[in-house]
């Protein structure tokens, strides 16, 4: 007798439980619709993991130093939390691949490995100590979304969102809508920082893949798409972003889990949907007047990037990529040589790193740096806005 996979069994069970009977109710339901009763029952029967308690940051606090990072495997060394805390940041932005809950996943609709990964984090003493000292804001990337390179077609995304929101204690605003994007303001009196955390997973269309050729360098499987119906953020998030950029602020920090500016590789990036990147640039150019810095992760390497895209009216845009906290793949020398990039102004730092941004409000400058596993400065640059 052939056994159903966990995914197929869950989907079939949900279909039997949820599908209406009778020809008059013959309505086509999506996989997400069919799974909704299954997840409602599952949520009532289990206790989802919750992150260690986190201190808060007062909305009127002027930010002069914040840190960020990405790509943190829950089963690897957590020593970087102490290194980050030693820089005394007022805020930490955890910007994706905050765990690797998709590794070992067998396709079950319950996303057991993802819940287990969050469970490990819930009992990580280094994370608990850090969150007791440093306020955090969070967004996700693919591995803590639950599916490598996943997007809107991931059938279990709503359950992944439920797990995420329960763990990180998401705000009522985030819980009230699909996706996990959010924005907060900090500061006062001409020193207001807006932090915008995008969701580049929940709504994102599938990317176009390159044709296979054995001669192609191993720099990713995707190619820029000419299909303008594909989306990175989804219309609801685009509308929200436009509204956020119209709010008064002095400096905006825009967080994208995947890289924005670079065209130097074929992994996931905004380059894969060029019409969406042009839309982002145009929207940023039309923002209420403010400084701007973009942050990204994902790459298991980091650096400082600069561009002045025509779609953005020629404004100079800065992006600081930091990755990873504890999951390095290569060396800086080999990665820098492997991925030449005229828009990257530094080496491609491939050993463990986190990002630190220091703001001088009197000089109207921000200093971007990447710090290594011992807290040492790997790259640094100061720019004005």
């Amino acid at each position: 007798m052939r056994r159903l996979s966990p995914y197929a069994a869950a989907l079939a069970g949900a279909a039997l439980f949820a599908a209406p009977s009778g020809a008059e109710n013959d309505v086509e339901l999506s996989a997400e619709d069919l799974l909704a009763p299954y997840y409602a029952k599952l949520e009532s029967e289990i206790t989802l993991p919750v992150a260690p308690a986190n201190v808060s940051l007062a909305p009127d606090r002027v930010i002069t130093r914040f840190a960020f990072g990405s790509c943190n495997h829950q089963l690897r060394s957590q020593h970087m939390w102490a290194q980050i805390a030693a820089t005394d940041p007022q805020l930490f932005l955890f910007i994706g691949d905050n765990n690797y809950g998709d590794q070992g996943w067998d396709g079950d609709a319950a996303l057991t490995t993802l819940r287990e990964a969050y469970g490990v984090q819930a009992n990580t003493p280094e994370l608990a100590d850090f969150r007791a000292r440093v306020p955090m804001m969070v967004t996700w990337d693919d591995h803590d979304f639950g599916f490598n390179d996943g997007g809107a077609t991931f059938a279990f995304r709503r359950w992944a969102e439920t797990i995420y929101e329960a763990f990180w204690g998401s705000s009522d605003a985030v819980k009230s809508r699909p996706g996990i994007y959010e924005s907060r303001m900090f500061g006062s009196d001409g020193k207001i920082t807006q932090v915008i955390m995008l969701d580049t997973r929940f709504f994102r269309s599938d990317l176009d893949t390159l044709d296979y050729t054995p001669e192609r360098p191993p720099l990713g499987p995707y190619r820029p798409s000419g299909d303008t119906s594909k989306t990175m953020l989804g219309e609801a998030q685009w509308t929200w972003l436009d509204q956020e950029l119209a709010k008064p602020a002095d400096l905006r920090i825009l967080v994208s889990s995947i890289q924005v500016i670079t065209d130097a590789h074929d992994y996931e990036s905004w380059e894969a949907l060029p019409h969406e990147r042009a839309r982002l640039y145009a929207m940023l150019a039309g923002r209420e007047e403010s400084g701007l810095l973009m942050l990204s992760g994902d790459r298991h390497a980091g650096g400082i990037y600069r561009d002045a895209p025509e779609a953005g009216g020629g404004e100079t845009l800065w992006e600081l990529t930091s990755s990873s906290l504890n999951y390095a793949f290569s060396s800086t020398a080999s990665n820098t040589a492997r991925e030449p990039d005229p828009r990257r102004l530094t080496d491609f730092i491939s050993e463990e790193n986190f990002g630190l941004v220091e703001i001088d409000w009197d000089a109207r400058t921000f200093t971007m740096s990447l710090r290594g596993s011992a807290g040492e400065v790997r790259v640094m640059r100061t720019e004005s806005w």
Side-chain angles (χ1 to χ4, degrees), residues 361-382:
W361 287 103
D362 293 331
R364 280 300 199 260
T365 63
F366 51 76
T367 297
M368 305 167 279
S369 65
L370 292 181
R371 306 297 179 100
S373 60
E376 75 280 12
V377 175
R378 298 297 306 271
V379 300
M380 178 178 287
R381 189 179 180 106
T382 299

Side-chain angles (χ1 to χ4, degrees), residues 272-287:
L273 297 177
H275 58 285
E276 289 285 85
R277 185 168 65 173
R279 182 178 184 178
L280 177 66
Y281 288 159
M283 192 173 284
L284 292 175
R287 71 187 184 276

Side-chain angles (χ1 to χ4, degrees), residues 148 245 268 302:
N148 184 45
L245 292 172
E268 291 184 297

Side-chain angles (χ1 to χ4, degrees), residues 209-216 220-221 223:
T209 55
L210 289 160
D211 293 333
Y212 172 76
T213 171
E215 291 78 25
R216 182 170 59 83
R223 62 179 176 84

Side-chain angles (χ1 to χ4, degrees), residues 154-167:
F154 182 43
F156 310 138
R157 61 179 182 161
R158 291 181 186 172
W159 180 234
E161 180 181 6
T162 298
I163 297 168
Y164 170 98
E165 290 173 349
F167 186 79

